[in-house]
């Protein structure tokens, strides 16, 4: 059944997407790339984007060969934020004549919850998702990368939360995730001023882990990091992400109890025995497939 599910997921990936491109750069490797692919629109997040991001993440979650995911973007900029003027956007659609304000509000609430779920799908994907950011990363783009596990950028990257300047409250996760990533003070600074920060400042506040000198070096560096992660024990990598996310939202004591329970069921794995044997034999371990 698992094999059939994996084959179905791979077949669906091959059918393609409108706003994304999902590829396996090295057919023999275990790294997949999800690329925002609307460069003419500066990769603004459209209704198609919000439909396809969770679909891509769910499919990669089901494919055993996918052990790490790189989130990147085509064109000169990473993401211009939400496409406010696009067709079918519930945020800017004119109200119908005589529409009930309460019903309209509920419809908008459902639309916002749906977009939130689309970005949360990045976080919920069991595989580690690594963001590779270049150029401008605006509004919803910042909220998208905040849902990733690790973030890197090129030196030309800039980050800005523009929602406050558009007379709205950021509602796709920035106000919830950024304080845990960069601290409350830095998150408040970004959200309340709407100021643009450079790659160097993003690194200083912890929004990104490393700054590469160019887009080419970013792509090569992130590919290398993703490959290294993909070659580790999949059980250990998936477990580490799951425990990190769970521990983020509970006390230290609760987190320690959670990881103890996790490891009581997962510690005695074939991968652990292989890791010990490989260490003793001074060779590279060969871990089990998912």
């Amino acid at each position: 059944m698992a094999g059939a599910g994996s084959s179905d997921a791979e077949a669906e990936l091959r059918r393609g997407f409108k706003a994304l491109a999902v590829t396996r750069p090295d057919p023999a490797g275990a790294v997949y790339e999800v690329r925002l692919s609307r460069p003419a629109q500066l990769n603004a997040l459209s209704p198609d984007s919000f439909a396809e991001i969770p679909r891509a993440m769910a499919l990669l979650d089901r494919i055993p060969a996918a052990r790490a995911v790189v989130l990147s973007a085509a064109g000169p900029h990473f993401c211009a934020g939400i496409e406010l003027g696009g067709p079918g956007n519930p945020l800017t659609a004119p109200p119908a004549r005589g529409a009930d304000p309460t019903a309209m509000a509920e419809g908008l609430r459902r639309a916002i919850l749906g977009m939130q779920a689309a970005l949360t799908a990045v976080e919920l994907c069991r595989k580690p998702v690594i963001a590779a950011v270049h150029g401008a990363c605006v509004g919803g783009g910042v909220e998208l990368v905040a849902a990733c596990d690790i973030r890197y950028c090129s030196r030309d990257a800039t980050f800005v939360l523009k929602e406050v300047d558009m007379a709205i409250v950021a509602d796709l996760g920035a106000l919830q995730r950024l304080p845990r990533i960069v601290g409350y003070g830095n998150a408040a600074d970004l959200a309340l001023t709407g100021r643009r920060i450079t790659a160097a400042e993003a690194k200083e506040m912890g929004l990104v882990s490393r700054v590469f000198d160019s887009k080419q070096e970013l792509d090569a560096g992130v590919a290398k990091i993703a490959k290294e992660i993909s070659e580790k024990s999949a059980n250990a990598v998936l477990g580490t992400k799951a425990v990190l996310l769970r521990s983020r939202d509970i006390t230290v004591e609760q987190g320690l109890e959670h990881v103890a329970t996790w490891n009581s069921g997962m510690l005695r794995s074939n991968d652990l025995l292989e890791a010990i044997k490989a260490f003793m034999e001074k060779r590279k371990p060969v871990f089990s497939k998912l």
Side-chain angles (χ1 to χ4, degrees):
M1 292 295 292
S6 171
S7 298
D8 291 345
E10 290 173 343
E12 189 170 343
L13 274 184
R14 287 193 293 271
R15 281 196 282 272
F17 301 82
K18 294 180 180 179
L20 307 176
V22 181
T23 61
R24 189 179 185 180
D26 178 3
V31 177
Y32 281 70
E33 183 176 10
V34 176
R35 187 183 307 112
L36 305 180
S37 293
R38 303 178 71 233
Q41 294 79 28
L42 304 181
N43 297 311
L45 300 175
S46 65
D48 284 336
S49 305
F50 285 108
E52 292 179 349
I53 289 172
R55 175 176 157 235
M57 291 298 162
L59 292 172
L60 291 171
D61 189 274
R62 289 165 49 194
I63 297 175
R67 295 195 176 200
V69 180
V70 174
L71 177 64
S72 65
H77 297 290
F78 183 80
C79 179
I82 297 175
E83 187 176 61
L84 293 177
N89 192 317
L91 302 182
T92 55
R97 180 177 297 180
D100 182 349
T102 301
M104 291 173 54
E106 176 56 23
L108 182 56
R109 177 179 178 273
R110 288 197 305 270
I112 294 170
L113 289 172
M115 291 187 289
Q116 289 175 348
L119 302 196
T120 296
V122 176
E123 189 174 83
L124 293 180
C125 177
R126 293 177 304 147
K127 318 300 174 65
V129 182
I130 306 167
V133 180
H134 71 286
C137 183
V138 180
V142 176
E143 299 187 282
L144 174 60
V145 301
C148 295
D149 301 296
I150 313 173
R151 290 158 294 279
Y152 300 99
C153 73
S154 56
R155 196 164 299 281
D156 71 332
T158 59
F159 301 83
V160 59
L161 286 175
K162 290 292 291 180
E163 284 85 347
V164 70
D165 290 333
M166 301 297 292
I168 60 176
V169 177
D171 56 7
L172 300 187
L175 304 185
Q176 291 71 37
R177 294 186 175 99
L178 283 181
R180 293 173 165 88
I181 297 170
V182 301
Y184 178 86
N186 285 324
D189 178 5
L190 295 176
L192 293 173
T193 67
R195 70 184 183 89
R196 188 180 307 273
I197 63 170
T198 64
E201 190 170 358
K203 171 66 169 65
E204 182 181 1
M205 68 173 56
L207 179 57
V208 299
S209 298
R210 182 176 171 186
V211 177
F212 291 85
D213 285 333
S214 67
K215 173 71 161 59
Q216 293 72 24
E217 291 185 24
L218 170 70
D219 292 341
V222 170
K224 181 175 182 292
I225 292 166
K227 182 175 184 294
E228 291 172 350
I229 292 174
S230 74
E231 292 174 345
K232 301 181 187 299
S233 163
N235 289 324
V237 170
L238 270 58
T240 297
K241 173 170 178 172
V243 170
L244 276 170
L245 286 173
R246 177 62 178 154
S247 297
R248 180 191 64 182
D249 300 324
I250 57 180
T251 66
V252 172
E253 182 179 1
Q254 291 169 328
L256 290 170
E257 182 175 353
H258 176 69
V259 73
T261 302
W262 182 284
N263 268 353
S264 68
M266 302 294 288
L267 192 60
R268 295 179 180 179
S269 67
N270 291 336
D271 281 357
L272 174 61
L273 298 177
E274 168 63 10
I276 295 171
K277 186 177 180 182
F279 176 78
M280 299 297 292
E281 296 175 356
K282 295 182 173 55
R283 61 174 175 82
K284 189 175 181 178
V286 180
F287 293 118
S288 305
K289 295 183 179 180
L290 285 174

